[in-house]
Amino acid sequence: MRLATISGRISLITASDTVIDLAGHGWFGPNIQDAYERWDELLEFSKTITEPGTPLSDIPATEFGNPAPQPRQLFAIGLNYAEHAAESSFPPPEEPPVFTKFVTSLADPSGTITLVPGKVDWEVELVVVVGRRAHRVAATDAWSYVAGVSVGQDISERVRQRVGPVPQFSLGKSYPGFGPIGPVLVTPDEFDDPDDLELGCLINGEQMQKGRTSDMIFPVPELIARLSAITPLLPGDVIFTGTPAGVGFGRTPQRYLAPGDELVSYVRGVGEMRHLMVAGY
Ligand code: ZN
């Protein structure tokens, strides 16, 4: 199943690529967070839909919003791919480094991203959205607590991120617009293997990152087990699962986002986000 926020309303995309506005079905409000709060009801309801809906191809990409706009908790994982750890001058971690992106950084899967002073970098990531309250779950059960996955960009201003005396990951990655997610949420059962997805990003058509989630040091089930061992994960919560190699600060010479750059971020089987960088501040 695929779920989206389209024109601000919770929408289901059927297997035949038609769009059903779920907010028109009485018991769901227009906000997609409702779906995560009532995930089992939604799964049951989705099996009963027979109406034709609107062709997906009739809907402009700009109508798609963030499919996980109101997490109560947002977790982000650092150094979760060995090659990215190496380009960051770290050994592969024995514990996943965890930080947050504050929720005001969340943004839609298309539009502009306003650059800030410093060094603004890209990090394409698989985003996981929680569908059931998860506390102390085993890795072997973890996917059953996931509503679905989407594409995320963990946009990062590297100067603030690394300012002393200890790094400020959460602040450096939380300027407005620095956390776009979308364009759709795809349930794990839609993939042959949800632990092996291709993801990448391009700037002005040039491939910058390309990786596979099977290269994660801590795969999604392991992340959920380790996070939920401490903190209950709540419906609608978001996990940015880390970025593969190819970010700007790891390149020689280093490269950062500039006004006019177009950033395209994708996860194969989910879709792509498209953002234009604009000057600001
Ligand atoms: Zn990241």
Side-chain angles (χ1 to χ4, degrees):
M1 185 175 76
R2 287 169 292 171
L3 205 61
T5 298
I6 297 176
S7 307
R9 296 165 71 87
I10 174 177
S11 303
L12 190 147
I13 303 168
T14 68
S16 48
D17 281 347
T18 61
V19 175
I20 311 291
D21 180 352
L22 288 182
H25 288 84
W27 37 275
F28 279 106
N31 191 325
I32 198 169
Q33 175 66 18
D34 267 13
Y36 304 125
E37 301 287 354
R38 300 161 68 185
W39 189 244
D40 290 307
E41 277 180 79
L42 174 68
L43 291 181
E44 284 305 309
F45 177 71
S46 67
K47 296 175 192 164
T48 68
I49 293 174
T50 53
E51 66 187 270
T54 307
L56 180 61
S57 54
D58 286 358
I59 299 174
T62 51
E63 291 301 312
F64 285 75
N66 177 357
Q70 292 180 315
R72 282 166 285 188
Q73 305 178 101
L74 193 161
F75 304 89
I77 309 300
L79 308 177
N80 200 17
Y81 292 77
E83 281 183 36
H84 174 61
E87 74 179 350
S88 308
S89 305
F90 285 100
E94 293 176 9
E95 284 280 332
V98 179
F99 54 95
T100 193
K101 291 173 80 72
F102 294 105
V103 295
T104 50
S105 69
L106 292 178
D108 292 336
S110 67
T112 59
I113 292 174
T114 302
L115 299 173
V116 299
K119 299 174 176 176
V120 181
D121 204 345
W122 57 88
E123 295 191 357
V124 67
E125 308 201 2
L126 181 77
V127 157
V128 168
V129 181
V130 175
R132 297 190 177 94
R133 187 180 193 274
H135 192 204
R136 298 179 176 174
V137 305
T140 48
D141 297 332
W143 273 115
S144 68
Y145 292 85
V146 172
V149 301
S150 194
V151 189
Q153 257 294 347
D154 178 16
I155 302 286
S156 306
E157 196 287 292
R158 300 300 188 194
V159 178
R160 173 61 52 185
Q161 178 184 336
R162 295 173 157 203
V163 75
V166 293
Q168 297 277 8
F169 274 48
S170 299
L171 281 179
K173 293 163 171 273
S174 289
Y175 288 93
F178 276 26
I181 300 174
V184 298
L185 180 100
V186 182
T187 52
D189 60 300
E190 292 283 332
F191 302 101
D192 292 337
D193 180 359
D195 288 305
D196 182 24
L197 305 176
E198 183 189 326
L199 74 172
C201 73
L202 303 87
I203 297 175
N204 306 328
E206 182 184 349
Q207 188 106 31
M208 292 290 144
Q209 293 184 278
K210 185 176 180 180
R212 299 198 75 87
T213 60
S214 51
D215 289 329
M216 285 181 177
I217 297 168
F218 303 98
V220 170
E222 186 65 27
L223 291 176
I224 289 172
R226 287 175 182 248
L227 292 171
S228 77
I230 297 169
T231 305
L233 310 183
L234 306 174
D237 280 0
V238 165
I239 307 170
F240 277 71
T241 58
T243 198
V247 300
F249 80 82
R251 309 180 83 86
T252 309
Q254 293 183 336
R255 176 174 176 178
Y256 296 101
L257 291 163
D261 280 345
E262 185 190 52
L263 177 63
V264 174
S265 314
Y266 67 89
V267 173
R268 204 69 77 191
V270 176
E272 67 174 34
M273 306 195 294
R274 192 173 288 264
H275 294 98
L276 178 68
M277 303 302 127
V278 298
Y281 293 76

